[in-house]
Amino acid sequence: MDIPTKASMTTEDQGPPAPVNTEETPVDSRPKFKRKKKNSRSKRSRSSRSSRIQPEMLSKLENEVFESYYKEQLNLSEEEHTKLFSTFRTPLYDSLRFDCEVTHEEFKNNWLPKLLAEEWPENTTKPYVIDKVGENVYGYLLPHFIMRKNPVFKSFHSWLVLSFNKGSVARQEIVSMVPPFFLPAEPGDAVLDMCAAPGSKTMQLMMKIGQEGVVMANEVNTKRCNVLHHQMSRLKKKAMLVVQHDARSLPPFHDGSEIGFDHILADVPCSGDGTCRKNPDVWNKWEPNGGLALHTLQLDIVRKGLRMLRVGGTIVYSTCSMNPMENEAVVATLLQDPGLELVDVSHILPSFERSPGITEWRVQMADKKGNTMWVDDYETVEKVLEFFRESERPEPGHEHVPVSNLSEFANDLANVGKREYVFQFLRKLRDIVGKHPTLFPPQNINDINIDRCCRFYPHVNDSGAFFVACLRKVGPLADESKKTIHDIEVSAPKSYDGFLDSLEPIDEETRTSIIQSIGLSEDCNLNLVERVSRACTRPERRQHLKDGTKPSAKHTGNFFSVSDRVYGFLSHNIARRYSMIGAGVCVAKRSKEGPRAAYEGLHLLKDHITEKKIMELTHEEMCALVSNVNTDGATVNTDENFAKWREMLLGNYISRCVFKEREIIVPVRKGHYSVDIYVSKSDLPDLTSFLEIQSFVDARAQYRKLQPEIEEGMVPVETQNDSTEPKQEE
């Protein structure tokens, strides 16, 4: 079928436009939004923010300071400025990226025709392909409260959740997909995502790297880091490595042979004013001081990344903000180092329209009362600060004379009213602007190719706003340390009191135990590591690090297969300075009978498992096993495979069947009277969908209904059979 694009869609396909508020709204009467409680666990709170926003809510938003600031800074025409903020007042559609070809084909052939055939209500948009990003990216606009009312929409949402849990679909804004495209990562490279949560961009990098190389995903917040690890685990890639650190103090990286990363993504924390289509709170909370406060943090993060980058590598700097304090000011400061250059990325995603970086901007400050004042250059700031250091504050009671630009006061220092007004901004002028001349454009702004930066505006691409710059490290940095990895002093991070979790290579005895218990071939060359907890206090850990010894270990039971570069990193002493959250794919777990195979890692083990550990099953037998219709092997006496199973020794095995040209493998345990499967609750829906079992609960209900017939030696009917009468055994 022909897949619609945004350009080919009619007004009827997109639904009627959102109603526009024609009433005049006073500037100070900004709408207040009722917030949900933080601990709310309702289903509605788990849906995406953009799907809950009403068009009427966005059309009433007003913030004169927000609009006037960008009218002055972005140098857009009056028409473009009006289009920009008109687009900000419209809901943002949901966009899906399909990373799995099988899931993409299922969506195109099964769900897309059903969705297009449905009648879509007003203020909605039918699915269409966003070809400017890729043929596997789709957009649609369907609020959650409408989705719940339509059976087709509701079924599609359930399928989408299942696909999301498998890691084959990502829900991500299209401009947020751009930075990984600008990073020239290839299989085998070492890539760092400095601020990775929630992990959508990291997933794109993982798809580029594949099973080889290393993608280190870092996040400082504990809750967001756990979400990140959960997201990365869905992809089941050996190159995955998740750590928890402040991005400004990441330890050095060494994979056993080389120092540093090949490529780095720095999607730094920002004010987020480019996301106001899905986050209306930005309109009410935005103030000029937000970008000023984040400038130093962003600069420190990207500088740390540059020190961890190898010569010849690239780093992509990005924000979801339009503020030049967070964008061009940071990049221009970095480019003062001769070891860096801006990369021309105009040939990448050429159909995704963008604007060049701006070369002129000013700094604006705001006081507690909401008054604002512009600052043109740093020389004016120095002049005013010198004046306040040498003069005394006038006695209170003088009438304030508003000053819109600091230059007005710098040229009239004797005016007491202006002096009293500027005094309100003195603290921010001294502590923020006065200490950071990098906020202002440098003198060589026209010589550093700042126009190679990319600005993505909502009114051009019908998206959010985004800023991206790609820098290449052509030589050592001016302030870069000349110490090698072996010269770096190893110190204990202050946050590592109590139990310390790490990932360490397994010893030969453990490897032999895994090979024998799972039934792996002797030539199995998987790099296996295990999670280890070491109890030690901070002084003890510091002493162990100095002596090169390890504290006593407590093994937690999971074994992971990692790539060669991840294994080299975990084998190096420098890995002890990292707070490890997860790595690679879990392939084995400890049990009372010995190590057993893990379902999520069977795709890596299946080529190494010996035939004596594999039990071939038919589709019906696998359905019976997975749906738990029959857990006692002795009650099934009609099939030679199950008869053979009863004669096998106790232990761990792999059951395998081929259904519709797809190989399905499940780890099982043969007990005295039962055969148990080892599949987690999160993987069970995926497995039942592969086998076309309607659901785990329905199969159990069918088993209870057929319980008397099963005990008499009859085979249970197939799931799709409408008749409740079982077939007689021939």
Side-chain angles (χ1 to χ4, degrees), residues 456-481:
F456 298 90
Y457 290 125
H459 65 286
V460 179
N461 298 295
D462 191 17
S463 61
F466 224 77
F467 174 88
V468 186
C470 183
L471 299 98
R472 181 183 293 115
K473 188 175 181 180
V474 296
L477 303 180
D479 59 344
E480 194 168 13
S481 174

PDB file of all heavy atoms in Angstrom, residues 456-481:
ATOM      1  N   PHE A 456      17.294  24.041  14.416  1.00  0.00           N
ATOM      2  CA  PHE A 456      16.059  23.465  13.882  1.00  0.00           C
ATOM      3  C   PHE A 456      14.885  24.162  14.561  1.00  0.00           C
ATOM      4  O   PHE A 456      14.743  24.089  15.791  1.00  0.00           O
ATOM      5  CB  PHE A 456      16.024  21.958  14.139  1.00  0.00           C
ATOM      6  CG  PHE A 456      17.144  21.205  13.471  1.00  0.00           C
ATOM      7  CD1 PHE A 456      18.356  21.006  14.128  1.00  0.00           C
ATOM      8  CD2 PHE A 456      16.999  20.710  12.188  1.00  0.00           C
ATOM      9  CE1 PHE A 456      19.390  20.321  13.525  1.00  0.00           C
ATOM     10  CE2 PHE A 456      18.029  20.017  11.571  1.00  0.00           C
ATOM     11  CZ  PHE A 456      19.226  19.823  12.238  1.00  0.00           C
ATOM     12  N   TYR A 457      14.050  24.825  13.746  1.00  0.00           N
ATOM     13  CA  TYR A 457      12.930  25.603  14.273  1.00  0.00           C
ATOM     14  C   TYR A 457      11.618  24.861  14.056  1.00  0.00           C
ATOM     15  O   TYR A 457      11.429  24.185  13.031  1.00  0.00           O
ATOM     16  CB  TYR A 457      12.877  26.975  13.615  1.00  0.00           C
ATOM     17  CG  TYR A 457      14.007  27.893  14.027  1.00  0.00           C
ATOM     18  CD1 TYR A 457      14.830  28.480  13.077  1.00  0.00           C
ATOM     19  CD2 TYR A 457      14.235  28.183  15.362  1.00  0.00           C
ATOM     20  CE1 TYR A 457      15.865  29.330  13.448  1.00  0.00           C
ATOM     21  CE2 TYR A 457      15.274  29.024  15.746  1.00  0.00           C
ATOM     22  CZ  TYR A 457      16.082  29.593  14.788  1.00  0.00           C
ATOM     23  OH  TYR A 457      17.105  30.423  15.170  1.00  0.00           O
ATOM     24  N   PRO A 458      10.668  24.989  14.983  1.00  0.00           N
ATOM     25  CA  PRO A 458       9.395  24.250  14.887  1.00  0.00           C
ATOM     26  C   PRO A 458       8.554  24.626  13.674  1.00  0.00           C
ATOM     27  O   PRO A 458       7.922  23.756  13.068  1.00  0.00           O
ATOM     28  CB  PRO A 458       8.676  24.617  16.190  1.00  0.00           C
ATOM     29  CG  PRO A 458       9.747  25.090  17.112  1.00  0.00           C
ATOM     30  CD  PRO A 458      10.784  25.715  16.254  1.00  0.00           C
ATOM     31  N   HIS A 459       8.525  25.915  13.300  1.00  0.00           N
ATOM     32  CA  HIS A 459       7.644  26.332  12.215  1.00  0.00           C
ATOM     33  C   HIS A 459       8.155  25.882  10.847  1.00  0.00           C
ATOM     34  O   HIS A 459       7.410  25.919   9.866  1.00  0.00           O
ATOM     35  CB  HIS A 459       7.484  27.850  12.228  1.00  0.00           C
ATOM     36  CG  HIS A 459       8.746  28.604  11.940  1.00  0.00           C
ATOM     37  ND1 HIS A 459       9.768  28.711  12.858  1.00  0.00           N
ATOM     38  CD2 HIS A 459       9.160  29.281  10.834  1.00  0.00           C
ATOM     39  CE1 HIS A 459      10.752  29.426  12.332  1.00  0.00           C
ATOM     40  NE2 HIS A 459      10.408  29.783  11.110  1.00  0.00           N
ATOM     41  N   VAL A 460       9.401  25.416  10.772  1.00  0.00           N
ATOM     42  CA  VAL A 460       9.967  24.966   9.504  1.00  0.00           C
ATOM     43  C   VAL A 460       9.738  23.473   9.301  1.00  0.00           C
ATOM     44  O   VAL A 460       9.378  23.022   8.200  1.00  0.00           O
ATOM     45  CB  VAL A 460      11.468  25.294   9.433  1.00  0.00           C
ATOM     46  CG1 VAL A 460      12.064  24.809   8.121  1.00  0.00           C
ATOM     47  CG2 VAL A 460      11.698  26.788   9.604  1.00  0.00           C
ATOM     48  N   ASN A 461       9.938  22.677  10.360  1.00  0.00           N
ATOM     49  CA  ASN A 461       9.849  21.217  10.250  1.00  0.00           C
ATOM     50  C   ASN A 461       8.656  20.614  10.988  1.00  0.00           C
ATOM     51  O   ASN A 461       8.545  19.394  11.062  1.00  0.00           O
ATOM     52  CB  ASN A 461      11.137  20.587  10.798  1.00  0.00           C
ATOM     53  CG  ASN A 461      12.367  20.984  10.021  1.00  0.00           C
ATOM     54  OD1 ASN A 461      12.519  20.647   8.858  1.00  0.00           O
ATOM     55  ND2 ASN A 461      13.259  21.740  10.658  1.00  0.00           N
ATOM     56  N   ASP A 462       7.791  21.474  11.553  1.00  0.00           N
ATOM     57  CA  ASP A 462       6.659  20.996  12.361  1.00  0.00           C
ATOM     58  C   ASP A 462       7.161  20.044  13.445  1.00  0.00           C
ATOM     59  O   ASP A 462       6.752  18.888  13.548  1.00  0.00           O
ATOM     60  CB  ASP A 462       5.615  20.312  11.485  1.00  0.00           C
ATOM     61  CG  ASP A 462       4.321  20.060  12.257  1.00  0.00           C
ATOM     62  OD1 ASP A 462       4.133  20.678  13.316  1.00  0.00           O
ATOM     63  OD2 ASP A 462       3.512  19.237  11.799  1.00  0.00           O
ATOM     64  N   SER A 463       8.082  20.533  14.245  1.00  0.00           N
ATOM     65  CA  SER A 463       8.722  19.714  15.275  1.00  0.00           C
ATOM     66  C   SER A 463       8.978  20.596  16.487  1.00  0.00           C
ATOM     67  O   SER A 463       8.383  21.668  16.630  1.00  0.00           O
ATOM     68  CB  SER A 463      10.043  19.154  14.736  1.00  0.00           C
ATOM     69  OG  SER A 463      10.931  20.205  14.398  1.00  0.00           O
ATOM     70  N   GLY A 464       9.852  20.149  17.375  1.00  0.00           N
ATOM     71  CA  GLY A 464      10.339  20.997  18.445  1.00  0.00           C
ATOM     72  C   GLY A 464      11.547  21.785  17.965  1.00  0.00           C
ATOM     73  O   GLY A 464      11.975  21.673  16.812  1.00  0.00           O
ATOM     74  N   ALA A 465      12.103  22.602  18.842  1.00  0.00           N
ATOM     75  CA  ALA A 465      13.310  23.365  18.516  1.00  0.00           C
ATOM     76  C   ALA A 465      14.527  22.621  19.045  1.00  0.00           C
ATOM     77  O   ALA A 465      14.475  21.998  20.108  1.00  0.00           O
ATOM     78  CB  ALA A 465      13.238  24.763  19.119  1.00  0.00           C
ATOM     79  N   PHE A 466      15.645  22.700  18.282  1.00  0.00           N
ATOM     80  CA  PHE A 466      16.844  21.962  18.656  1.00  0.00           C
ATOM     81  C   PHE A 466      18.072  22.679  18.111  1.00  0.00           C
ATOM     82  O   PHE A 466      17.988  23.399  17.112  1.00  0.00           O
ATOM     83  CB  PHE A 466      16.793  20.536  18.105  1.00  0.00           C
ATOM     84  CG  PHE A 466      17.233  19.485  19.081  1.00  0.00           C
ATOM     85  CD1 PHE A 466      16.395  19.072  20.087  1.00  0.00           C
ATOM     86  CD2 PHE A 466      18.491  18.902  18.994  1.00  0.00           C
ATOM     87  CE1 PHE A 466      16.795  18.094  20.980  1.00  0.00           C
ATOM     88  CE2 PHE A 466      18.901  17.935  19.872  1.00  0.00           C
ATOM     89  CZ  PHE A 466      18.050  17.527  20.874  1.00  0.00           C
ATOM     90  N   PHE A 467      19.197  22.455  18.793  1.00  0.00           N
ATOM     91  CA  PHE A 467      20.485  23.009  18.362  1.00  0.00           C
ATOM     92  C   PHE A 467      21.500  21.879  18.348  1.00  0.00           C
ATOM     93  O   PHE A 467      21.597  21.097  19.307  1.00  0.00           O
ATOM     94  CB  PHE A 467      20.948  24.122  19.301  1.00  0.00           C
ATOM     95  CG  PHE A 467      22.330  24.634  18.991  1.00  0.00           C
ATOM     96  CD1 PHE A 467      22.520  25.654  18.078  1.00  0.00           C
ATOM     97  CD2 PHE A 467      23.454  24.096  19.615  1.00  0.00           C
ATOM     98  CE1 PHE A 467      23.790  26.129  17.778  1.00  0.00           C
ATOM     99  CE2 PHE A 467      24.727  24.566  19.329  1.00  0.00           C
ATOM    100  CZ  PHE A 467      24.895  25.588  18.402  1.00  0.00           C
ATOM    101  N   VAL A 468      22.279  21.775  17.262  1.00  0.00           N
ATOM    102  CA  VAL A 468      23.285  20.720  17.132  1.00  0.00           C
ATOM    103  C   VAL A 468      24.547  21.311  16.518  1.00  0.00           C
ATOM    104  O   VAL A 468      24.483  22.090  15.564  1.00  0.00           O
ATOM    105  CB  VAL A 468      22.787  19.553  16.251  1.00  0.00           C
ATOM    106  CG1 VAL A 468      23.801  18.418  16.267  1.00  0.00           C
ATOM    107  CG2 VAL A 468      21.434  19.052  16.709  1.00  0.00           C
ATOM    108  N   ALA A 469      25.697  20.945  17.086  1.00  0.00           N
ATOM    109  CA  ALA A 469      27.003  21.325  16.533  1.00  0.00           C
ATOM    110  C   ALA A 469      27.925  20.124  16.601  1.00  0.00           C
ATOM    111  O   ALA A 469      27.977  19.420  17.624  1.00  0.00           O
ATOM    112  CB  ALA A 469      27.599  22.500  17.301  1.00  0.00           C
ATOM    113  N   CYS A 470      28.646  19.871  15.525  1.00  0.00           N
ATOM    114  CA  CYS A 470      29.576  18.741  15.448  1.00  0.00           C
ATOM    115  C   CYS A 470      31.000  19.283  15.401  1.00  0.00           C
ATOM    116  O   CYS A 470      31.354  20.041  14.491  1.00  0.00           O
ATOM    117  CB  CYS A 470      29.279  17.890  14.219  1.00  0.00           C
ATOM    118  SG  CYS A 470      30.320  16.423  14.057  1.00  0.00           S
ATOM    119  N   LEU A 471      31.830  18.911  16.370  1.00  0.00           N
ATOM    120  CA  LEU A 471      33.206  19.380  16.462  1.00  0.00           C
ATOM    121  C   LEU A 471      34.169  18.205  16.308  1.00  0.00           C
ATOM    122  O   LEU A 471      33.912  17.108  16.813  1.00  0.00           O
ATOM    123  CB  LEU A 471      33.472  20.086  17.792  1.00  0.00           C
ATOM    124  CG  LEU A 471      32.644  21.338  18.087  1.00  0.00           C
ATOM    125  CD1 LEU A 471      31.452  20.986  18.990  1.00  0.00           C
ATOM    126  CD2 LEU A 471      33.491  22.405  18.768  1.00  0.00           C
ATOM    127  N   ARG A 472      35.284  18.467  15.630  1.00  0.00           N
ATOM    128  CA  ARG A 472      36.327  17.457  15.457  1.00  0.00           C
ATOM    129  C   ARG A 472      37.583  17.885  16.212  1.00  0.00           C
ATOM    130  O   ARG A 472      37.992  19.041  16.164  1.00  0.00           O
ATOM    131  CB  ARG A 472      36.656  17.258  13.983  1.00  0.00           C
ATOM    132  CG  ARG A 472      37.733  16.187  13.754  1.00  0.00           C
ATOM    133  CD  ARG A 472      38.113  16.052  12.297  1.00  0.00           C
ATOM    134  NE  ARG A 472      37.014  15.528  11.491  1.00  0.00           N
ATOM    135  CZ  ARG A 472      36.395  16.196  10.543  1.00  0.00           C
ATOM    136  NH1 ARG A 472      36.752  17.454  10.269  1.00  0.00           N
ATOM    137  NH2 ARG A 472      35.417  15.650   9.848  1.00  0.00           N
ATOM    138  N   LYS A 473      38.183  16.930  16.897  1.00  0.00           N
ATOM    139  CA  LYS A 473      39.417  17.191  17.633  1.00  0.00           C
ATOM    140  C   LYS A 473      40.595  16.915  16.700  1.00  0.00           C
ATOM    141  O   LYS A 473      40.946  15.769  16.449  1.00  0.00           O
ATOM    142  CB  LYS A 473      39.479  16.307  18.880  1.00  0.00           C
ATOM    143  CG  LYS A 473      40.619  16.607  19.820  1.00  0.00           C
ATOM    144  CD  LYS A 473      40.518  15.760  21.080  1.00  0.00           C
ATOM    145  CE  LYS A 473      41.635  16.047  22.061  1.00  0.00           C
ATOM    146  NZ  LYS A 473      41.539  15.210  23.282  1.00  0.00           N
ATOM    147  N   VAL A 474      41.191  17.979  16.189  1.00  0.00           N
ATOM    148  CA  VAL A 474      42.269  17.843  15.204  1.00  0.00           C
ATOM    149  C   VAL A 474      43.644  17.803  15.847  1.00  0.00           C
ATOM    150  O   VAL A 474      44.642  17.515  15.176  1.00  0.00           O
ATOM    151  CB  VAL A 474      42.205  18.999  14.184  1.00  0.00           C
ATOM    152  CG1 VAL A 474      40.923  18.926  13.380  1.00  0.00           C
ATOM    153  CG2 VAL A 474      42.317  20.354  14.881  1.00  0.00           C
ATOM    154  N   GLY A 475      43.732  18.074  17.126  1.00  0.00           N
ATOM    155  CA  GLY A 475      45.008  18.053  17.830  1.00  0.00           C
ATOM    156  C   GLY A 475      44.794  18.119  19.324  1.00  0.00           C
ATOM    157  O   GLY A 475      43.666  18.302  19.802  1.00  0.00           O
ATOM    158  N   PRO A 476      45.851  17.960  20.114  1.00  0.00           N
ATOM    159  CA  PRO A 476      45.710  18.056  21.570  1.00  0.00           C
ATOM    160  C   PRO A 476      45.196  19.432  21.978  1.00  0.00           C
ATOM    161  O   PRO A 476      45.510  20.440  21.360  1.00  0.00           O
ATOM    162  CB  PRO A 476      47.136  17.814  22.084  1.00  0.00           C
ATOM    163  CG  PRO A 476      47.844  17.135  20.955  1.00  0.00           C
ATOM    164  CD  PRO A 476      47.231  17.660  19.698  1.00  0.00           C
ATOM    165  N   LEU A 477      44.390  19.460  23.041  1.00  0.00           N
ATOM    166  CA  LEU A 477      43.859  20.721  23.537  1.00  0.00           C
ATOM    167  C   LEU A 477      44.933  21.484  24.293  1.00  0.00           C
ATOM    168  O   LEU A 477      45.903  20.902  24.798  1.00  0.00           O
ATOM    169  CB  LEU A 477      42.655  20.470  24.444  1.00  0.00           C
ATOM    170  CG  LEU A 477      41.498  19.677  23.826  1.00  0.00           C
ATOM    171  CD1 LEU A 477      40.379  19.509  24.843  1.00  0.00           C
ATOM    172  CD2 LEU A 477      40.989  20.361  22.572  1.00  0.00           C
ATOM    173  N   ALA A 478      44.745  22.792  24.387  1.00  0.00           N
ATOM    174  CA  ALA A 478      45.745  23.635  25.034  1.00  0.00           C
ATOM    175  C   ALA A 478      45.884  23.302  26.518  1.00  0.00           C
ATOM    176  O   ALA A 478      46.985  23.334  27.067  1.00  0.00           O
ATOM    177  CB  ALA A 478      45.381  25.102  24.839  1.00  0.00           C
ATOM    178  N   ASP A 479      44.737  22.962  27.195  1.00  0.00           N
ATOM    179  CA  ASP A 479      44.778  22.685  28.634  1.00  0.00           C
ATOM    180  C   ASP A 479      44.749  21.188  28.922  1.00  0.00           C
ATOM    181  O   ASP A 479      44.505  20.773  30.056  1.00  0.00           O
ATOM    182  CB  ASP A 479      43.590  23.352  29.329  1.00  0.00           C
ATOM    183  CG  ASP A 479      42.262  22.874  28.778  1.00  0.00           C
ATOM    184  OD1 ASP A 479      42.264  22.273  27.695  1.00  0.00           O
ATOM    185  OD2 ASP A 479      41.231  23.114  29.436  1.00  0.00           O
ATOM    186  N   GLU A 480      44.990  20.349  27.911  1.00  0.00           N
ATOM    187  CA  GLU A 480      44.918  18.912  28.093  1.00  0.00           C
ATOM    188  C   GLU A 480      46.157  18.394  28.804  1.00  0.00           C
ATOM    189  O   GLU A 480      47.285  18.773  28.481  1.00  0.00           O
ATOM    190  CB  GLU A 480      44.762  18.208  26.742  1.00  0.00           C
ATOM    191  CG  GLU A 480      44.336  16.752  26.860  1.00  0.00           C
ATOM    192  CD  GLU A 480      43.913  16.194  25.518  1.00  0.00           C
ATOM    193  OE1 GLU A 480      44.179  16.856  24.492  1.00  0.00           O
ATOM    194  OE2 GLU A 480      43.330  15.112  25.492  1.00  0.00           O
ATOM    195  N   SER A 481      45.916  17.515  29.765  1.00  0.00           N
ATOM    196  CA  SER A 481      47.030  16.951  30.526  1.00  0.00           C
ATOM    197  C   SER A 481      47.843  16.013  29.653  1.00  0.00           C
ATOM    198  O   SER A 481      47.318  15.292  28.811  1.00  0.00           O
ATOM    199  CB  SER A 481      46.499  16.205  31.758  1.00  0.00           C
ATOM    200  OG  SER A 481      47.549  15.540  32.419  1.00  0.00           O
TER     201      SER A 481
END
